Amino acid sequence: MQTTRRAVLLGGVAAILSASIRNTRAASPLQGLPGLNQPVEILEDRWGVPHVRARSIPDAFFADGYLVARDRLWSLDFGHRQSLGRLAEVFGSEFVPSDTANRLVLFRGDAERELAAFPQVVQECARAYVAGLNARIAEVIASPSLLPPEFKIFAVTPLQWDVLDLIRVRAEVTGNTRTEIRRARLAARGALAYDALVTPLEPVHELRTPEGLDTAAISEADLGLFGVLQSPLPLHGLHAAADDEIRRRNEGSNSWVIAPARTATGRPILANDPHLSFGVPGPRHVIHLTAPGLDVIGGGGAGMPGVMQGHNATIAFGRTNFHIDQEDLFILRTDPADPLRYAHQGGWKRMEQVETRIAVRGEAERVVSLFYSVHGPVVSRDPARNRATAVSATWLAPGANGLLANIGINLAHDWTSFREALRVHTSPTNFTYADTSGNIGWQAAGGLPSRAPGHDGLMPAPGDGRYDWQGLQPLEALPSSFNPARGWFGTSNEMNLPPDYPVEERRVSFEWRDGFRHERVAQMLDATPRATLADSVALQHDTFSVLALQMVRLLPEVPPALAPEAGLLRAWNGRIDADSPAAALYEVWWTRLERALHARIIPPSLHDLLPGPVNATVQLSLFQSPDSRFGTEPARERDRMMVEQFVEAVRELRDRLGPLPAAWRWGALHTVTLRHPLAAVPAIAAAFPTIGEPSAQSGGDPYTVMARWYTPLTGGANTYAATGGASYLMVCDVGNWDRSLYLNCPGQSADPKSPHYADFFAGWLRGAMQPLPFSTHSVNEAAVRRLTLRPGDQP
C-alpha cells in the first residue's frame, strides 16, 4: 500500500467546519482566501466527500489543500513537522534524534530548479495546493476556536508551508537496510543460511558477502540515524516495536484490472484496496476535483496534492506496493588522524559537514552536525573504530520528487501520458490502469538503482568506490504489461517479475510478500469469464484462506477427547469469517505453531537476530515436507508438534471463549478498535471517542484477500485484535463512472464532533460499498451541503 509517511505514522483531527457551511443547497460564501484566483463551489455529499468545481486547474488544487487542512490538520501538521525535523520544538528533547535524522535526509540540491523542471501546470498546481493549506492554517490561527483539540492540548500552532517543502521532503524509508545488517551479522556467526527461513529470496538467488566486507565488525549501531527513521516515535500511544515490524511485513494492497472481454458489461473494471495500519483518521481523504481540463475523484493522502487511487474522465488508476531495493548501506573506512576523511577510489575524500539548529521545547536549542559522503547521508560515525556508515537512496536523487507525482497522474488521459507521469514517482509501486477505450495495463514504477557488478544490495558493501551506484535506471527497465492476453492483471505484492525478466542484470529486488492473496485472486478471476462489479466487491472481502486449508489437511490424529474440535477443522470451508468457530480454532493453532516452529528450527543463539516468525510460505513447506530440522524422525516430530499445539489451542480458546466450541467466534478475538494515536494522553483520550470496541468483530487474517492482520508474537489479551488492513476500497466501472463503488473507514473527518468522524465504520465492517458519484447530475443529486471559497487579497 502506498502512502506518505505522514499518513502512515499518525492520525489527526480535522479543523471544525466553518459556521458559514450550512445544511442547505444554497451557496454560502466563506471569507476571502489569499492565493485563490476565482470562486470555487464545493458540494458535499452525505459522507462529507467534497466535490470541487473550480474555474481553473490550479484553483481546484487550492481547494484540495484547503479542504484536507480543514479535515486533517493535526495529522497534516504532525507529518510536516516530522519530515522537516521540527518535532522537538513541540514535544521536547526526546525528539532531537528524530529531527536530526529527518533533516539529514532532506533534499540538498537546488529545490527551485527541481520544481522548475516540472511542466508549468504541475508547478501551478503545487503552488496552489500549498496556498490552500496555508489559507486554512491562517484561518484557524486567526480564529483559535477553529483549531483542532490537539493543538490546544499541546499548546502548539500549525506551521505554514512552503511549496519547496514538496521538493525537499524525500524520505520513503523501506526498511531493507535493517535486513542488510541482519544478514551481515548472521554471516559473521556462520549462520547466513538461516536468513532464508525469515526472508526467502525470490527469484532464486545465491546470497554472497561482498568482497572486502568485514562482517564481524557490523552491528546495529551502523544503522545510526537511519535506524531512527525506521523506529517508532517516542510518543505515548504509538506502535510498539513488535507492532511496527508486523506493520512493515503486512502493509501492501490488492489491485486488479479486468479487460472488457471478461466483464458482463463489456467495460473494464479496476479494483484496489490498499492495506495500511488502522487509525483515526484513516489513511485516505476522498476528494473530487473538477475544472476545465480536470475531472478526478478518489483517495488521496494528507500533504500530497491530488488523488492517489481513483479515476478521471478517461482513465482509472490503482496501486499496490512493488518491491524495489532502494537503499544500500556503505561502510566507510575513516582516517585515524582525521575522522572526517574516508578512503575512496585509492585516496581520501572529506565528508561534507553541515550544522543545523534544532529548537527544543523547554530547553536551549541544540546545534547538531550533519555529514555527507559521495554515497549520500552519513548515518553513523565511530571515530574510535575508524568507521562510518553512509546510505545511498533512490529517493534522494535529483528528479525524484514523489510528492508531486499525483498531479501528472490525475491529468493523464491515456496509457502514454499515464506512464510519462510515473517517471517522477519514487516509491516502489505496481500501478494498475484501465481506460474508456477498453485498454488495461500494469506498470511497475519507482527509483531503481544501477548497482555495480558484484553488489546485489542484500548486505552492506565497502564504501571504497568498488560498489558505488551508477545512477538510476529508467522507467523502461521496470516491467509492464498492456492488454495482457489473459484478459486481466492482478497484483497483491507477490513476486511478479515476468519469467523472461533480466533479474540478475537489473537487480530490482529479491524480497517479496507471500503469494497466498494473489493465488486466490488469480483463482477467482480465471474462474469468472463475465465479471461484474459485485464480483470484485466480493473478492475484496473474500476470507477464503489458501494457506489454512493446506495446513488443516496436515492435522494428524488427536487425542479422542478432542475429536469434536478436530472434526470442526476438518469439516471447515477454509473461510476466516468473523462468526466461524473453526476459523477461531485455526488462527489460534496457527499462531501457536508459528512460535513452536521458530523455537524448534532457529537456535536460541540467533533469536536476537531472528526473533520470528518464520516466513509463512516457508512454514507451510516445512510442515508439508518435514526434514532433519524437526529431528531424527521428521514426520513423527512434525505430527507431535502439530498435535501438541492443537491441544494448547483448544485450551486457550476454552479459557478465552468458553468450553463450547459451537460458541467460539473468530471475530470475538479479532476485534477492531480505533483510537487516536496519542490516546494514552488523558486529555486526548477524553477528547476523541474510541471507535469500535469489542462489538466490532472482523473476519480475515494476513493471508486472505480481505487482509486483516494482527500481532501474534506479542501475546496478551490483544494478541488477535485486528490492527491493519484495507480502510479505503474502490471498484471502478470504467466508462460508466457513476456505478463505481468505494469505502473509506472510519470517515472523512478527524473531528470527533463531526458527523463524518466514524460514519463509514459500521458499513465498512459489513463490507457495504457505497456509490462514488461522478457526473454533474449524480453529484448534484448527492449533495447535502454547498459552500463557496472566494478569493481574497493576493499576497
Side-chain angles (χ1 to χ4, degrees):
M1 277 338 44
Q2 300 289 322
T3 186
T4 58
R5 288 187 305 139
R6 59 175 57 87
V8 172
L9 290 174
L10 280 178
V13 66
I16 301 170
L17 288 175
S18 170
S20 62
I21 302 175
R22 304 192 304 268
N23 287 323
T24 173
R25 299 183 71 86
S28 54
L30 292 178
Q31 185 176 354
L33 300 172
L36 184 65
N37 292 309
Q38 294 179 287
V40 172
E41 184 183 29
I42 299 166
L43 284 70
E44 289 190 352
D45 62 28
R46 61 173 290 202
W47 302 107
V49 172
H51 299 262
V52 173
R53 293 175 176 174
R55 301 178 192 178
S56 71
I57 295 173
D59 276 355
F61 277 88
F62 177 99
D64 185 16
Y66 179 90
L67 292 165
V68 77
R70 183 198 70 178
D71 292 341
R72 305 285 179 95
L73 186 55
W74 172 256
S75 59
L76 185 77
D77 186 68
F78 191 101
H80 189 207
R81 288 181 178 277
Q82 182 186 10
S83 298
L84 295 178
R86 295 187 59 178
L87 288 177
E89 65 186 77
V90 175
F91 296 105
S93 59
E94 281 187 297
F95 287 81
V96 170
S98 173
D99 285 356
T100 304
N102 278 283
R103 294 187 187 199
L104 181 67
V105 296
L106 291 171
F107 181 67
R108 301 175 63 244
D110 186 337
E112 289 278 9
R113 183 176 179 180
E114 290 277 302
L115 181 60
F118 281 92
Q120 186 64 31
V121 66
V122 175
Q123 297 179 51
E124 292 172 356
C125 291
R127 295 184 190 280
Y129 179 82
V130 169
L133 294 175
N134 288 336
R136 180 57 184 178
I137 290 168
E139 278 189 344
V140 301
I141 291 175
S143 301
S145 63
L146 298 177
L147 275 170
E150 297 98 330
F151 291 98
K152 302 169 188 176
I153 290 168
F154 293 108
V156 61
T157 300
L159 295 176
Q160 290 277 314
W161 287 56
D162 187 305
V163 68
L164 297 183
D165 293 343
L166 299 178
I167 300 295
R168 297 174 63 224
V169 170
R170 294 293 186 89
E172 291 281 356
V173 182
T174 64
N176 166 268
T177 47
R178 283 197 185 279
T179 312
E180 290 184 32
I181 294 288
R182 183 187 74 203
R183 290 194 181 103
R185 296 180 68 192
L186 286 170
R189 300 183 193 182
L192 187 54
Y194 285 95
D195 190 75
L197 296 174
V198 175
T199 311
L201 302 183
E202 299 180 85
V204 175
H205 176 75
E206 183 180 356
L207 189 57
R208 295 179 180 177
T209 302
E211 183 180 349
L213 179 68
D214 180 5
T215 58
I218 299 293
S219 73
E220 284 292 317
D222 289 318
L223 271 179
L225 291 170
F226 217 61
V228 173
L229 290 175
Q230 299 173 54
S231 299
L233 290 167
L235 270 174
H236 294 295
L238 282 179
H239 303 294
D243 296 328
D244 199 60
E245 179 58 29
I246 292 292
R247 175 186 64 79
R248 288 181 181 277
R249 284 208 308 270
N250 286 286
E251 282 188 343
S253 306
N254 302 308
S255 187
W256 55 84
V257 280
I258 308 173
R262 294 187 62 86
T263 69
T265 64
R267 294 186 298 272
I269 293 173
L270 183 146
N272 193 194
D273 55 299
H275 304 159
L276 299 164
S277 293
F278 293 150
V280 182
R284 293 291 179 263
H285 180 262
V286 180
I287 197 162
H288 183 188
L289 305 176
T290 62
L294 173 72
D295 196 357
V296 65
I297 191 169
M304 189 176 187
V307 169
M308 298 177 70
Q309 287 136 322
H311 69 81
N312 61 29
T314 56
I315 72 170
F317 45 91
R319 60 175 73 193
T320 74
N321 286 353
F322 186 60
H323 292 269
I324 303 177
D325 185 352
Q326 295 188 316
E327 304 150 7
D328 283 344
L329 296 174
F330 291 92
I331 307 301
L332 310 180
R333 179 172 62 85
T334 58
D335 184 352
D338 183 353
L340 294 186
R341 299 204 308 167
Y342 60 96
H344 191 264
Q345 294 182 339
W348 295 100
K349 282 191 170 67
R350 178 169 290 276
M351 297 178 194
E352 182 180 356
Q353 182 175 359
V354 178
E355 282 193 351
T356 186
R357 296 177 179 273
I358 298 176
V360 181
R361 187 166 191 161
E363 300 181 19
E365 67 178 10
R366 305 278 181 91
V367 179
V368 299
S369 291
L370 310 177
F371 300 92
Y372 302 88
S373 75
V374 296
H375 311 88
V378 175
V379 296
S380 72
R381 296 173 61 243
D382 188 349
R385 299 174 63 209
N386 304 323
R387 67 189 282 115
T389 308
V391 171
S392 288
T394 60
W395 34 266
L396 287 174
N401 300 304
L403 287 179
L404 299 184
N406 286 345
I407 301 173
I409 294 170
N410 295 174
L411 293 170
H413 56 86
D414 60 14
W415 178 243
T416 300
S417 56
F418 176 72
R419 293 183 75 219
E420 191 62 28
L422 301 184
R423 292 189 185 278
V424 297
H425 193 277
T426 54
S427 60
T429 305
N430 290 293
F431 279 96
T432 50
Y433 168 96
D435 64 35
T436 53
S437 296
N439 300 303
I440 66 170
W442 159 63
Q443 174 68 60
L448 175 61
S450 180
R451 291 186 170 87
H455 187 208
D456 54 19
L458 295 173
M459 285 195 207
D464 55 14
R466 281 178 287 177
Y467 300 106
D468 290 5
W469 286 6
Q470 308 300 311
L472 302 183
Q473 300 182 58
L475 181 70
E476 288 75 14
L478 290 167
S480 65
S481 177
F482 189 61
N483 291 329
R486 196 175 189 177
W488 63 268
F489 182 88
T491 167
S492 298
N493 318 115
E494 78 289 353
M495 199 293 290
N496 60 353
L497 298 175
D500 59 349
Y501 189 78
V503 171
E504 294 295 335
E505 174 189 336
R506 296 180 185 170
R507 285 163 282 177
V508 171
S509 179
F510 297 97
E511 301 165 285
W512 306 80
R513 296 285 190 267
D514 291 295
F516 300 113
R517 283 185 289 118
H518 176 71
E519 183 178 345
R520 176 61 172 172
V521 168
Q523 178 187 85
M524 296 305 293
L525 293 183
D526 276 337
T528 312
R530 292 292 180 265
T532 65
L533 293 182
D535 292 329
S536 280
V537 170
L539 186 52
Q540 286 183 330
H541 294 89
D542 187 90
T543 61
F544 180 83
S545 174
V546 172
L547 170 63
L549 283 191
Q550 293 182 79
M551 286 297 299
V552 168
R553 292 189 192 107
L554 300 174
L555 178 63
E557 290 300 314
V558 302
L562 298 183
E565 288 84 354
L568 194 68
L569 273 191
R570 293 192 173 103
W572 179 43
N573 63 7
R575 294 190 175 275
I576 313 292
D577 291 332
D579 61 357
S580 170
L585 179 54
Y586 164 74
E587 293 291 344
V588 175
W589 182 48
W590 167 260
T591 297
R592 287 185 164 276
L593 282 172
E594 279 190 313
R595 297 172 185 154
L597 184 66
H598 179 270
R600 172 63 65 91
I601 68 175
I602 296 181
S605 61
L606 300 179
H607 285 184
D608 60 327
L609 299 180
L610 301 171
V614 174
N615 170 271
T617 302
V618 173
Q619 289 188 65
L620 176 61
S621 176
L622 285 170
F623 281 119
Q624 289 175 328
S625 303
D627 57 26
S628 59
R629 285 172 284 194
F630 278 93
T632 56
E633 297 182 272
R636 178 174 294 182
E637 291 302 316
R638 183 267 319 267
D639 289 352
R640 186 197 306 274
M641 178 186 292
M642 298 187 91
V643 171
E644 286 176 352
Q645 298 311 314
F646 184 83
V647 170
E648 291 303 314
V650 170
R651 181 177 292 119
E652 180 179 342
L653 278 169
R654 287 172 177 170
D655 290 343
R656 288 180 179 270
L657 301 179
L660 299 177
W664 297 345
R665 298 289 183 269
W666 170 230
L669 301 176
H670 201 46
T671 56
V672 182
T673 305
L674 307 182
R675 296 183 177 88
H676 192 288
L678 302 180
V681 178
I684 294 288
F688 292 88
T690 297
I691 301 170
E693 299 290 3
S695 61
Q697 300 186 3
S698 173
D701 74 3
Y703 309 108
T704 55
V705 178
M706 190 184 81
R708 301 272 170 91
W709 68 79
Y710 54 98
T711 311
L713 299 183
T714 57
N718 295 322
T719 294
Y720 305 104
T723 56
S727 300
Y728 174 76
L729 302 91
M730 172 186 78
V731 178
C732 295
D733 187 335
V734 179
N736 192 357
W737 300 113
D738 285 334
R739 296 186 68 247
S740 299
L741 302 166
Y742 83 114
L743 285 170
N744 190 36
C745 178
Q748 278 283 97
S749 176
D751 176 6
K753 297 177 182 179
S754 167
H756 307 303
Y757 178 66
D759 54 341
F760 254 121
F761 183 75
W764 169 84
L765 203 61
R766 298 193 311 271
M769 302 280 278
Q770 298 298 313
L772 188 61
F774 183 70
S775 69
T776 300
H777 173 76
S778 292
V779 171
N780 287 342
E781 288 296 309
V784 298
R785 296 183 185 87
R786 292 175 184 257
L787 60 145
T788 301
L789 306 183
R790 299 194 181 279
D793 295 332
Q794 302 304 309

